[in-house]
Amino acid sequence: MKVTIAHNNYDKTLKTVAYLKKLLEEKDVIFDAKYPDVVISVGGDGTLINAFHRYENQVDSVRFVGIHTGHLGFYTDWRNYDVDKMVDALLLTDGEVAKYPLLEIKTLTESGETRYHLAVNESAVKRVSHTLEADVYINDELFENFRGDGLCVSTPTGSTAYSKSLGGAVIHPRLKALQMTEIASINNRVFRTLSAPIVIAPDQWITIVPNADHFVMTVDGARIDVRNAKKIEYRISHHSIKFDRFGHHHFWSRVQDAFIGDSKND
């Protein structure tokens, strides 16, 4: 087993990383930052998502383990005081994993160039100083003419992130559905949109055709300035992100813990 550790630089995290490295060295675990079998993320959800993008070209052969040292850890199963248990579980695991669907983003430029991105949570299309005008297609059929601040397309696990703050539904990842939510849409006698989140099946896709030669696209919060894009296509990827199932919590338990808390304490 080859392992690497991704982490932020907060004091609590660095102490946890030092202890974790000591335990792994005692177990004669091989450290390999280039081609790991397991990526251990120490920090919060942002740290784990950054680690995913660092190794997204190896996503089919890598699994992730998250240790939580921050304020909210939806993807991070272990707490910093559970490091000993996590290491034992890691070495005893039979390789069983929990898989979450990823979002595939394909951008086609006016020159015919195609660019691909993967997202764990979501991708959004926005304009900075003007409203976004775009045609929205589902399965290549025109669905609506949008005008507003932007559009967000999310994975089921991403439904608990930015999409939720936009009024989207929380979706179980086994559904492998895409969800599109509007960002401050304009609805009047001239411009009309559904003005509600939509959820589409895993074999369907969403295409956004922006009526602008310059806009901003985000992928898991990272900003990409896009120019001369003809269209952006979103669909569920045939790749998935894999987590070590040992210690991986039930999805709805994670949702409850992240947003509601322990009802027994009420």
Side-chain angles (χ1 to χ4, degrees), residues 184-259:
S185 61
I186 296 173
N187 280 282
N188 52 34
R189 293 172 64 183
V190 178
F191 301 103
R192 300 297 302 170
T193 67
L194 184 63
S195 194
I198 63 169
V199 178
I200 70 169
D203 60 343
Q204 297 181 315
W205 62 94
I206 295 171
T207 303
I208 298 174
V209 179
N211 185 18
D213 58 2
H214 180 214
F215 58 91
V216 171
M217 181 174 70
T218 63
V219 177
D220 286 336
R223 171 175 169 153
I224 302 171
D225 288 314
V226 181
R227 294 186 181 274
N228 301 317
K230 187 175 180 180
K231 63 180 180 179
I232 306 169
E233 185 179 282
Y234 295 99
R235 64 174 71 230
I236 290 293
S237 173
H238 66 276
H239 300 288
S240 58
I241 183 171
K242 293 175 286 190
F243 291 90
D244 195 320
R245 188 180 289 277
F246 202 108
H248 198 70
H249 301 164
H250 186 275
F251 176 77
W252 293 115
S253 297
R254 299 159 74 84
V255 172
Q256 182 192 42
D257 182 61
F259 299 110

Side-chain angles (χ1 to χ4, degrees), residues 16-226:
T16 303
V17 169
Y19 183 62
L20 172 61
K21 284 182 176 179
K22 177 176 176 293
L23 289 179
L24 293 173
E25 287 168 354
E26 290 173 354
K27 302 290 186 180
D28 295 323
V29 171
I30 299 171
F31 289 89
D32 188 339
K34 193 171 183 180
Y35 297 109
D37 299 309
V38 178
V39 177
I40 302 175
S41 169
V42 186
D45 285 348
T47 306
L48 192 142
I49 289 172
N50 288 337
F52 162 77
H53 286 290
R54 193 180 311 163
Y55 293 98
E56 66 177 87
N57 62 333
Q58 303 175 49
V59 68
D60 293 330
S61 60
V62 172
R63 70 182 192 270
F64 293 83
V65 177
I67 299 176
H68 168 42
T69 60
H71 298 291
L72 177 63
F74 190 84
Y75 290 113
T76 47
D77 298 292
W78 301 92
R79 296 303 300 265
N80 59 299
Y81 47 75
D82 287 327
V83 173
D84 294 84
K85 294 180 181 178
M86 189 279 294
V87 171
D88 289 339
L90 178 67
L91 298 178
L92 290 173
T93 185
D94 58 3
E96 187 178 4
V97 297
K99 296 182 179 180
Y100 287 163
L102 296 170
L103 176 65
E104 179 184 289
I105 306 130
K106 182 172 75 172
T107 305
L108 179 66
T109 67
E110 293 287 352
S111 62
E113 182 183 1
T114 302
R115 300 169 185 167
Y116 289 92
H117 301 277
L118 284 178
V120 178
N121 280 344
E122 77 283 305
S123 173
V125 178
K126 308 176 182 179
R127 294 198 73 194
V128 178
S129 58
H130 303 279
T131 56
L132 174 73
E133 294 184 49
D135 294 331
V136 179
Y137 293 79
I138 299 177
N139 287 12
D140 295 330
E141 294 186 8
L142 181 62
F143 176 71
E144 68 179 13
N145 303 110
F146 175 84
R147 183 164 182 169
D149 282 0
L151 293 161
C152 172
V153 181
S154 67
T155 63
T157 46
S159 68
T160 61
Y162 186 30
S163 178
K164 180 178 179 295
S165 70
L166 297 171
V170 175
I171 301 174
H172 195 285
R174 279 208 306 268
L175 294 177
K176 294 185 178 180
L178 287 183
Q179 179 171 202
M180 185 181 76
T181 48
E182 299 177 358
I183 308 172
S185 61
I186 296 173
N187 280 282
N188 52 34
R189 293 172 64 183
V190 178
F191 301 103
R192 300 297 302 170
T193 67
L194 184 63
S195 194
I198 63 169
V199 178
I200 70 169
D203 60 343
Q204 297 181 315
W205 62 94
I206 295 171
T207 303
I208 298 174
V209 179
N211 185 18
D213 58 2
H214 180 214
F215 58 91
V216 171
M217 181 174 70
T218 63
V219 177
D220 286 336
R223 171 175 169 153
I224 302 171
D225 288 314
V226 181

